[in-house]
Amino acid sequence: MKRRHRLRRSSEFARLRKEGKRFAGRFLVLSVIETACEKEFQTAVITGKRVGAAVVRNLLRRRLRCIVDRQTPLLAGGRRYVSILRPASASATFQELEREWVSLARRAGLIRESQ
């Protein structure tokens, strides 16, 4: 994932938590907020300690970043979003995570329909 696509500031996370819309699934929660001034998207992945040990959390982060990278050409700009992994995601396969993330992204309006 390119650096310009990453959320880094705690103020951005706080704004997403306060004003963003949440879309929940079995393995993750997607929080989204629209930004009028940006053409590109920004994203982050949050994994709490309840998800598992550090090895498991890092594996899940890498998987989610890969999923976002695969969907980058279809992602609409002008939005910030955070993917929050739930403890059930530790037992999910890559395909299950990808299916759920894409489903939540469609519900949130993050994915442009191909033409």
Side-chain angles (χ1 to χ4, degrees), residues 3 18 20 24 30 42 44 49 52 56-57 67 69 73 76 78 88 94 97 104:
R3 186 176 177 93
K18 184 178 180 183
L30 194 63
Q42 286 187 309
K49 288 188 177 182
V56 174
R57 295 192 310 265
I67 290 167
D69 282 343
F94 181 85
L97 278 176
L104 293 175

Side-chain angles (χ1 to χ4, degrees), residues 8-95:
R8 292 181 296 277
R9 295 190 181 126
S10 61
S11 61
E12 295 168 339
F13 284 96
R15 183 169 175 231
L16 256 165
R17 186 172 183 93
K18 184 178 180 183
E19 300 173 16
K21 291 183 181 178
R22 295 172 53 103
F23 301 89
R26 180 175 166 212
F27 302 122
L28 59 104
V29 176
L30 194 63
S31 292
V32 181
I33 192 168
E34 290 191 29
T35 56
C37 61
E38 296 180 25
K39 293 184 179 180
E40 293 187 348
F41 67 90
Q42 286 187 309
T43 186
V45 178
I46 297 175
T47 54
K49 288 188 177 182
R50 291 175 45 199
V51 172
V55 174
V56 174
R57 295 192 310 265
N58 290 332
L59 173 69
L60 291 170
R61 281 189 208 113
R62 285 193 305 272
R63 284 182 177 179
L64 217 49
R65 285 188 197 119
C66 180
I67 290 167
V68 172
D69 282 343
R70 289 169 65 159
Q71 300 298 322
T72 296
L74 300 175
L75 292 174
R79 291 180 175 89
R80 290 181 178 153
Y81 57 92
V82 173
S83 302
I84 304 166
L85 290 164
R86 291 184 164 181
S89 64
S91 62
T93 65
F94 181 85
Q95 290 79 17

